[in-house]
Amino acid sequence: MAVISENIEIAKGIFKMCLSGAPLGEAGQFLMLKQPDSLDPFLARPLSYCNIDKNSGTVTLVYQTIGKGTKAFSKLKQGSLMQAVGPCGRGFPLVSGNAVLIGGGIGTAPLLLLAHALRESQPERHIKVHLGFREEAYLIKEFGQYADEVSVDIGGIITDAADFSQAAAYYACGPEPMLKAAALKAEKAGAELYISLEKNMACGVGACFGCTCKTKGGNKRICKDGPVFNALEVHDVL
Amino acid sequence: MAVISENIEIAKGIFKMCLSGAPLGEAGQFLMLKQPDSLDPFLARPLSYCNIDKNSGTVTLVYQTIGKGTKAFSKLKQGSLMQAVGPCGRGFPLVSGNAVLIGGGIGTAPLLLLAHALRESQPERHIKVHLGFREEAYLIKEFGQYADEVSVDIGGIITDAADFSQAAAYYACGPEPMLKAAALKAEKAGAELYISLEKNMACGVGACFGCTCKTKGGNKRICKDGPVFNALEVHDVL
Amino acid sequence: MSYEPLVTEFLGVTLKNPVLAASGTVGFGREYETLASLSKLGGICSKGLTLNGSLGNDGPRIYETPAGLLNSIGLENPGVGRFIKEELPFMRSLGCAVIANLGGHSEIEYIKGASLLNDAEIDILELNISCPNILDGGMAFGIDPKSAADITKKVKAKSRHPLLVKLTPNAPDLIAVAAACEEAGADGLSLVNTFLGMAIDTKLRKPVFNNVYAGLSGPAIFPIALRMVHEVCKAVSIPVAGIGGIAAKEDALSFLMAGASVVQIGSMTFAAPDTMAKLVDELYDYCKLNALENIRQIVGIL
Amino acid sequence: MSYEPLVTEFLGVTLKNPVLAASGTVGFGREYETLASLSKLGGICSKGLTLNGSLGNDGPRIYETPAGLLNSIGLENPGVGRFIKEELPFMRSLGCAVIANLGGHSEIEYIKGASLLNDAEIDILELNISCPNILDGGMAFGIDPKSAADITKKVKAKSRHPLLVKLTPNAPDLIAVAAACEEAGADGLSLVNTFLGMAIDTKLRKPVFNNVYAGLSGPAIFPIALRMVHEVCKAVSIPVAGIGGIAAKEDALSFLMAGASVVQIGSMTFAAPDTMAKLVDELYDYCKLNALENIRQIVGIL
Ligand SMILES: Cc1cc2nc3c(=O)[nH]c(=O)nc-3n(C[C@H](O)[C@H](O)[C@H](O)COP(=O)(O)OP(=O)(O)OC[C@H]3O[C@@H](n4cnc5c(N)ncnc54)[C@H](O)[C@@H]3O)c2cc1C
Ligand SMILES: Cc1cc2nc3c(=O)[nH]c(=O)nc-3n(C[C@H](O)[C@H](O)[C@H](O)COP(=O)(O)OP(=O)(O)OC[C@H]3O[C@@H](n4cnc5c(N)ncnc54)[C@H](O)[C@@H]3O)c2cc1C
Ligand SMILES: Cc1cc2nc3c(=O)[nH]c(=O)nc-3n(C[C@H](O)[C@H](O)[C@H](O)COP(=O)(O)O)c2cc1C
Ligand SMILES: Cc1cc2nc3c(=O)[nH]c(=O)nc-3n(C[C@H](O)[C@H](O)[C@H](O)COP(=O)(O)O)c2cc1C
Ligand code: FES
Ligand code: FES
């Protein structure tokens, strides 16, 4: 059982939760989180690793309050227990060379650990981050720690800002229309793009076939075979 | 919606919760309490007023952790909201003259407010309190504020200690076997005894007929017509 | 003219809104009058009545379950006569529609009860042929299409009130029962009553309830109740009152979209007494936000 | 000799304990091997297999409900052949009993699937005539006593494995189906599969699931499932596997006391993967504390 060491609102409706004792994982992987001893909500909620401090073993999650589950999370106090199953899924491949990260809204969360990991794995590469928000930006300072350039857009269309002709690999996470636009642009430019998909989940570990999506390589479980896919593989289903 | 201003363990498995903004009531009445926004547990839990500070409007409840509901209560932090419906039921009549209060285990809780009320309504009367506990005593100091004599018994049979020939009225709250023994002794001695009954409740306000008990005067709803009854009235059903 | 998007015609009765209190969960209105703002509602259903009244079942009557509860009240009620004298005047004073829920152990008891209610100023008669907690009668009438149609026809013949027949989800062929009741003259159907369930006291190694089985209600049953209401609404053309596990606005909207003209809220009132009043406000806001002239525009929209 | 109060004979198979993982909730064991300590269990049921495999249903497949969930997986599976080659060896390596759950769209598909499984080292064949999520076949076979008996008899004739027939709570007359399956040669019955339920996306004003209806499971259904298992256990004399909403020890004990010889845990594994392993420990402690020589002493004790 993990313990909540911090749980604060960092922007309107956006919370940061720090856990100690949670399983550690890679950028793009996620945890299935649930308040123990309550059947309401019944299912665990998937949240991506936003950052990990390997020294202290602290996992940071950043989440938006949407419905019942995330609202209940936001009310938990420091010291509360949290059931954390993971690391779930396959994360972002760390392609060597320059990288461009494109995040929309709460989709920025997993990209922070990705920037962190890209920087660590290849300190000299250039990392550019495009972040788009509806109203209020967050995590900007944190991205500054790892990225060379961070451009922030509020209210616009973030994929318009990105140039798909420069980097070795592109990574996108955010709402489906954004992913779709990115996938189209990347395909046209022949760029390598990895995107993170979402679907309602029951088990989160690949056992229930509840989150299957159609890909070029047949049915894939988003929770186990994803959530990160090469955009070419899932292009049709977006 | 009431707010929790304090929620601490005062003895093993016994918690004291203070609420501000909860409806006020009389000794022997109770509140139907529920954590808002959660369906687990589904029903509200009845807890008796243990004390009331009329100046600050603070209600004190003392409860034992039994199952799901009370365990969940024990985990709530200061500042949490609580749905409090009440005041429910009819409380203890404040018979004038000397009084003897007999409490077993968590049944002592409502007797504290009773001692308080008896003292206030007739400052010169003599109030004797017998308290019995399985293992650990609690609320003893608090009873000392209002009662002339407080006798505490651990592990014994509390009704054996009480003399039913001296006071104007007797009040008992505790496990059913204790109430039964008290009712028998009181009847023999011709003493006036009021007891507080318990039964699983759904509404707590008299609407569902879920807590009916048979009395000499016909079916009575424990939540609305009780929980306090003259022992003679319910003797047969104990 | 003011904007009144919630006004609903139901069985010829004009309701302020389509939110009703389900039978057995608000007694005869007194206890929840203020707590649940009953006068704000479209209507309230009385506790199930029987001709001569009843003391109800012995033993435990309430048992909490995950997101619901089992009950075995057994129709404790003062009888139709005393209802009319002692309870109805108060119910009427609330200013919302009054629905009398009538149970019974035999055909003759139903018919006499319904006849007696002809003397009473109620808006709708809800025929409860679905109570699982009495051993003879009750649900037995609602299990089988033929017996359901039979009692519906006979009560309809005697009653001057619009007739709402309340169905049980425990019927082997619910759609056949619904169709049979429509055919037999029911003016509307309400469903679901409680699901037959069980609880065991594992310490005592015996059933919790004296009757062994009891009725399950509450949010737990919502997905099944919704499916049944959807099925029945497609099968009949009389109006339906959707019941079962409604906890919040989304649930009520779901029932309406599935085809129910009104909804009844039961168990959730125990958990949060302001549920129904809040729902009325939220449905109003929903209509406004979605520019609906009347809530009926979403009824059966699926 | 050591104290082994949980060892259970079931359909001629010796199980370490009466705690099984329900079909469809642990896949073929790989993903939950460590998380759910599968090798500690009495056995695990495979995901529902069909002769030639299936890609499952399109659209949303999972929808949370109060204390439960609706699913519309639609039997996504690799087919019996690939199961035997690719999944069974791993399942066998877990060291608990292996139950193959077999679904189908037609009689011939069931029979061929069962025949193919004669080549496989499984302990029990669970005949799934209760899946509500495929449009033809599946539950259709389990709704009616005659068709249930028919398919049971035919599969029994072809299969060399002990036959557990999994029943649907959506059958109009569940007891008749159970009795018919017993009569037709079933060695045991498992129940319940999921309840037909519905969810509506009120924003889109359409059903959440492409198939409109889906299967409800989880603690929400526990009281109804328990009642059904109790009814069936009284009606048949073959062993029963009790399924439906088990979340904790009390629930499992309730099923056993109602007459089930073993229990299967499904949805709760999603919510808390250690549920089944914890249950094994707790049942052991229960036996010890209550001085039971074997857990079977409480089976059907009501
Ligand atoms: C792999 C993955 C990683 C994610 N990482 C993050 C993150 O780091 N931060 C963050 O804020 N959100 C993240 N999400 C989305 C997050 O899981 C949902 O917002 C959350 O489950 C909503 O739960 P709720 O109870 O608040 O909402 P409700 O709408 O009440 O949830 C009802 C049901 O739908 C599911 N659901 C609702 N929205 C989504 C969604 N977008 N994706 C998957 N299931 C959903 C819930 O899990 C639940 O089962 C991630 C989703 C996935 C699949
Ligand atoms: C009028 C009244 C006043 C009470 N005052 C107090 C008090 O001041 N302090 C205190 O500690 N306890 C009091 N109780 C008992 C308290 O309500 C129960 O201990 C509590 O409801 C148990 O809930 P649970 O979820 O912890 O237990 P669970 O056993 O999980 O509860 C399951 C269900 O049974 C009901 N239930 C269980 N035990 C009782 C009981 N003894 N009486 C009524 N319903 C019960 C619960 O309300 C719930 O519906 C009072 C009970 C009544 C009826
Ligand atoms: C305690 C209780 C008592 C009930 N009594 C009656 C009754 O007398 N007559 C009736 O037709 N239905 C009765 N019902 C059924 C409800 O009216 C309703 O059909 C059912 O509870 C499902 O709705 P819900 O899930 O919103 O509670 C009762 C339900 C409960 C919980
Ligand atoms: C996601 C999911 C998939 C399921 N797949 C199958 C299946 O393939 N075959 C089957 O017989 N039952 C299947 N079931 C039904 C379960 O085995 C079980 O009967 C049901 O969920 C009730 O138990 P529970 O409440 O413990 O989950 C499935 C259930 C769920 C939730
Ligand atoms: S959520 Fe179960 S397989 Fe993905
Ligand atoms: S609990 Fe409803 S009448 Fe007492």
Side-chain angles (χ1 to χ4, degrees):
Chain A
M1 218 44 88
V3 179
I4 298 179
S5 56
E6 191 178 348
N7 192 19
I8 54 165
E9 191 162 13
I10 59 168
K12 200 170 166 336
I14 307 290
F15 288 75
K16 177 172 109 175
M17 179 186 283
C18 297
L19 292 178
S20 59
L24 306 185
E26 309 289 335
Q29 291 187 304
F30 62 95
L31 291 170
M32 288 297 281
L33 291 157
K34 183 170 157 67
Q35 224 182 315
D37 300 325
S38 174
L39 297 174
D40 187 36
F42 180 60
L43 296 171
R45 299 296 191 254
L47 293 181
S48 305
Y49 292 105
C50 173
N51 214 342
I52 292 178
D53 181 343
K54 281 188 197 132
N55 293 329
S56 64
T58 304
V59 166
T60 300
L61 311 159
V62 169
Y63 62 97
Q64 184 165 18
T65 51
I66 301 284
K68 179 151 238 175
T70 48
K71 274 176 200 156
F73 286 169
S74 73
K75 285 182 194 144
L76 295 176
K77 304 277 155 40
Q78 205 181 312
S80 303
L81 293 179
M82 194 67 142
Q83 176 186 293
V85 169
C88 300
R90 302 197 316 176
F92 294 105
L94 302 182
V95 177
S96 71
N98 295 344
V100 173
L101 282 55
I102 307 166
I106 193 66
T108 51
L111 298 184
L112 184 65
L113 181 58
L114 177 61
H116 185 166
L118 286 167
R119 175 59 67 223
E120 263 187 10
S121 66
Q122 210 180 17
E124 73 290 1
R125 77 167 101 213
H126 188 272
I127 303 177
K128 175 155 189 178
V129 180
H130 293 281
L131 302 178
F133 300 93
R134 196 90 59 88
E135 286 174 353
E136 190 184 352
Y138 41 86
L139 293 178
I140 308 306
K141 215 180 66 213
E142 287 82 351
F143 273 99
Q145 294 177 263
Y146 312 117
D148 298 289
E149 284 179 69
V150 181
S151 89
V152 177
D153 185 284
I154 299 205
I157 293 170
I158 186 69
T159 40
D160 287 353
D163 171 359
F164 281 84
S165 68
Q166 16 153 267
Y170 294 77
Y171 303 91
C173 187
E176 237 180 69
M178 183 200 109
L179 297 182
K180 202 178 179 113
L184 276 174
K185 288 188 80 172
E187 194 176 14
K188 229 182 241 165
E192 191 170 338
L193 169 67
Y194 296 93
I195 59 180
S196 181
L197 299 184
E198 297 187 355
K199 197 163 178 184
N200 283 12
M201 293 179 176
C203 71
V205 300
C208 76
F209 301 103
C211 65
T212 296
C213 83
K214 291 207 160 80
T215 74
K216 294 232 164 70
N219 271 5
K220 293 278 162 85
R221 297 160 298 177
I222 289 179
C223 71
K224 180 79 183 179
D225 307 314
V228 173
F229 292 93
N230 187 317
L232 288 175
E233 218 192 327
V234 293
H235 197 161
D236 304 340
V237 303
L238 282 178
Chain B
M1 218 43 90
V3 179
I4 298 179
S5 55
E6 192 179 346
N7 193 20
I8 55 165
E9 191 163 12
I10 59 169
K12 199 168 166 337
I14 307 291
F15 288 75
K16 178 172 109 174
M17 180 187 282
C18 298
L19 293 178
S20 59
L24 306 185
E26 310 289 336
Q29 291 187 305
F30 62 96
L31 291 169
M32 288 297 282
L33 290 157
K34 184 172 157 66
Q35 223 182 315
D37 300 326
S38 174
L39 297 174
D40 187 37
F42 181 60
L43 296 171
R45 299 296 190 255
L47 293 181
S48 306
Y49 293 105
C50 173
N51 214 343
I52 292 178
D53 180 342
K54 282 189 196 132
N55 293 329
S56 65
T58 304
V59 166
T60 300
L61 310 160
V62 169
Y63 62 97
Q64 184 166 17
T65 50
I66 300 284
K68 181 151 235 175
T70 49
K71 275 176 199 155
F73 286 169
S74 73
K75 284 182 194 144
L76 295 175
K77 304 278 155 40
Q78 206 181 311
S80 303
L81 294 179
M82 194 67 143
Q83 177 185 292
V85 169
C88 300
R90 302 197 316 177
F92 294 105
L94 303 181
V95 177
S96 71
N98 295 344
V100 174
L101 282 55
I102 306 166
I106 193 65
T108 51
L111 298 184
L112 184 66
L113 181 58
L114 177 61
H116 185 166
L118 286 167
R119 176 59 68 223
E120 262 187 11
S121 65
Q122 209 179 20
E124 74 289 1
R125 77 167 100 213
H126 187 272
I127 303 177
K128 176 156 187 176
V129 181
H130 293 281
L131 304 177
F133 299 94
R134 198 88 61 88
E135 285 175 354
E136 190 184 352
Y138 41 85
L139 293 179
I140 308 305
K141 214 180 66 214
E142 287 81 351
F143 272 100
Q145 293 177 262
Y146 312 117
D148 299 290
E149 284 179 68
V150 182
S151 90
V152 177
D153 185 283
I154 300 205
I157 294 169
I158 186 70
T159 40
D160 286 354
D163 170 0
F164 281 84
S165 66
Q166 17 153 264
Y170 294 78
Y171 304 91
C173 187
E176 238 180 68
M178 182 200 110
L179 297 182
K180 202 178 180 116
L184 275 174
K185 288 188 79 172
E187 194 176 13
K188 228 181 242 166
E192 192 170 339
L193 169 68
Y194 295 94
I195 60 179
S196 181
L197 299 185
E198 297 188 355
K199 199 164 175 183
N200 282 14
M201 294 178 176
C203 71
V205 300
C208 76
F209 302 103
C211 66
T212 296
C213 83
K214 291 208 161 79
T215 74
K216 295 232 164 70
N219 271 5
K220 293 278 163 84
R221 297 160 299 178
I222 289 178
C223 71
K224 181 79 183 179
D225 308 314
V228 173
F229 291 93
N230 187 316
L232 288 174
E233 218 191 327
V234 293
H235 197 160
D236 304 341
V237 303
L238 282 177
Chain C
M1 215 194 78
S2 65
Y3 182 54
E4 288 189 339
L6 298 183
V7 171
T8 299
E9 288 288 317
F10 185 65
L11 274 51
V13 181
T14 304
L15 307 175
K16 276 185 291 209
N17 55 65
V19 178
L20 313 178
S23 175
T25 57
V26 295
F28 301 103
R30 291 183 205 280
E31 295 81 9
Y32 273 123
E33 178 189 8
T34 4
L35 276 171
S37 316
L38 295 183
S39 54
K40 242 182 117 157
L41 307 183
I44 73 173
C45 301
S46 77
K47 172 64 195 168
L49 303 166
T50 52
L51 183 61
N52 300 313
S54 158
L55 293 176
N57 290 340
D58 286 337
R61 292 183 172 188
I62 295 288
Y63 189 83
E64 192 184 58
T65 69
L69 73 150
L70 287 161
N71 89 75
S72 181
I73 311 291
L75 292 186
E76 173 168 351
N77 80 93
V80 175
R82 280 181 56 200
F83 162 75
I84 296 175
K85 266 220 308 272
E86 296 167 22
E87 306 291 353
L88 184 57
F90 178 82
M91 281 176 86
R92 278 260 67 108
S93 78
L94 292 170
C96 60
V98 172
I99 299 172
N101 182 281
L102 180 67
H105 300 79
S106 67
E107 196 179 287
I108 186 84
E109 196 186 341
Y110 274 111
I111 293 172
K112 282 195 178 160
S115 304
L116 205 49
L117 282 165
N118 282 336
D119 301 339
E121 285 310 313
I122 58 169
D123 295 297
I124 292 172
L125 174 62
E126 184 174 53
L127 191 66
N128 173 0
I129 53 170
S130 44
C131 178
N133 294 321
I134 56 177
L135 291 178
D136 46 341
M139 194 174 87
F141 287 94
I143 283 287
D144 171 63
K146 217 190 111 4
S147 64
D150 227 52
I151 193 78
T152 298
K153 192 174 284 166
K154 286 182 176 147
V155 169
K156 180 69 195 167
K158 288 286 175 205
S159 177
R160 69 173 180 97
H161 302 294
L163 184 63
L164 187 62
V165 179
K166 186 162 178 182
L167 305 183
T168 169
N170 305 300
D173 190 343
L174 176 59
I175 296 169
V177 173
C181 291
E182 177 178 35
E183 171 78 28
D187 299 300
L189 302 173
S190 53
L191 63 151
V192 300
N193 207 318
T194 54
F195 287 77
L196 217 48
M198 183 183 192
I200 291 176
D201 184 327
T202 58
K203 288 225 179 58
L204 300 180
R205 300 180 177 183
K206 66 184 198 58
V208 165
F209 295 102
N210 287 10
N211 280 355
V212 184
Y213 302 149
L216 182 68
S217 62
I221 66 168
F222 171 74
I224 316 181
L226 180 64
R227 184 261 299 172
M228 290 177 166
V229 165
H230 184 247
E231 285 178 331
V232 166
C233 286
K234 286 194 308 180
V236 302
S237 50
I238 48 178
V240 166
I243 322 173
I246 297 176
K249 185 188 68 173
E250 291 303 307
D251 307 332
L253 288 175
S254 295
F255 270 116
L256 296 171
M257 290 182 182
S261 304
V262 302
V263 294
Q264 295 185 8
I265 284 86
S267 307
M268 194 61 197
T269 296
F270 303 151
D274 61 351
T275 302
M276 295 183 287
K278 232 173 85 184
L279 180 57
V280 171
D281 291 339
E282 288 172 344
L283 289 180
Y284 182 93
D285 292 345
Y286 175 86
C287 289
K288 219 164 152 180
L289 197 71
N290 290 277
L292 298 183
E293 228 171 89
N294 189 281
I295 187 85
R296 96 176 70 85
Q297 289 172 265
I298 63 160
V299 169
I301 204 171
L302 284 192
Chain D
M1 216 193 79
S2 65
Y3 181 54
E4 289 188 339
L6 298 183
V7 170
T8 299
E9 288 288 317
F10 184 65
L11 274 51
V13 181
T14 305
L15 308 175
K16 276 186 291 208
N17 56 64
V19 178
L20 313 178
S23 175
T25 57
V26 294
F28 301 104
R30 291 182 204 280
E31 296 81 8
Y32 274 123
E33 178 188 8
T34 6
L35 277 171
S37 316
L38 295 183
S39 54
K40 240 182 118 158
L41 307 183
I44 73 173
C45 301
S46 78
K47 172 66 195 166
L49 303 166
T50 53
L51 183 60
N52 300 313
S54 160
L55 294 176
N57 290 339
D58 286 337
R61 292 184 172 188
I62 296 288
Y63 189 81
E64 191 184 59
T65 68
L69 73 151
L70 287 161
N71 89 75
S72 181
I73 310 292
L75 292 186
E76 172 167 352
N77 80 93
V80 174
R82 279 181 56 200
F83 162 75
I84 296 175
K85 266 221 305 273
E86 296 167 22
E87 306 290 354
L88 185 57
F90 178 81
M91 280 176 86
R92 279 261 66 109
S93 77
L94 292 170
C96 59
V98 172
I99 299 172
N101 181 281
L102 180 67
H105 301 80
S106 66
E107 196 179 285
I108 187 84
E109 196 185 341
Y110 274 111
I111 293 172
K112 281 196 178 160
S115 304
L116 206 48
L117 282 165
N118 282 335
D119 302 338
E121 286 310 313
I122 58 170
D123 295 297
I124 293 173
L125 175 62
E126 185 174 51
L127 190 66
N128 174 0
I129 53 170
S130 44
C131 178
N133 294 321
I134 56 176
L135 291 177
D136 46 342
M139 194 174 87
F141 287 94
I143 284 287
D144 171 62
K146 218 190 112 0
S147 63
D150 227 52
I151 193 79
T152 298
K153 191 174 284 165
K154 287 181 177 148
V155 169
K156 179 69 195 167
K158 289 285 175 206
S159 178
R160 69 173 180 96
H161 303 294
L163 185 63
L164 187 61
V165 180
K166 186 161 177 182
L167 305 183
T168 170
N170 304 301
D173 190 344
L174 175 60
I175 297 170
V177 173
C181 291
E182 177 178 35
E183 171 76 29
D187 299 300
L189 302 173
S190 53
L191 63 150
V192 300
N193 208 318
T194 53
F195 287 78
L196 217 49
M198 183 183 191
I200 292 176
D201 184 326
T202 58
K203 288 226 178 59
L204 300 180
R205 300 180 177 182
K206 67 183 196 58
V208 165
F209 295 102
N210 286 10
N211 281 355
V212 184
Y213 302 149
L216 182 68
S217 61
I221 66 168
F222 171 74
I224 316 182
L226 180 63
R227 184 261 298 172
M228 290 177 165
V229 166
H230 184 247
E231 285 179 331
V232 165
C233 287
K234 286 193 309 179
V236 302
S237 50
I238 47 178
V240 166
I243 322 173
I246 296 177
K249 186 188 67 173
E250 292 303 307
D251 307 332
L253 288 175
S254 294
F255 269 116
L256 296 172
M257 290 182 183
S261 304
V262 302
V263 293
Q264 294 185 10
I265 284 86
S267 307
M268 194 60 198
T269 296
F270 303 151
D274 62 351
T275 302
M276 294 183 288
K278 232 173 86 185
L279 179 57
V280 171
D281 291 339
E282 287 172 344
L283 289 180
Y284 182 92
D285 293 345
Y286 175 86
C287 288
K288 219 165 152 180
L289 197 71
N290 290 276
L292 297 183
E293 228 172 89
N294 189 280
I295 188 85
R296 97 177 70 86
Q297 289 171 264
I298 63 159
V299 169
I301 204 171
L302 285 192

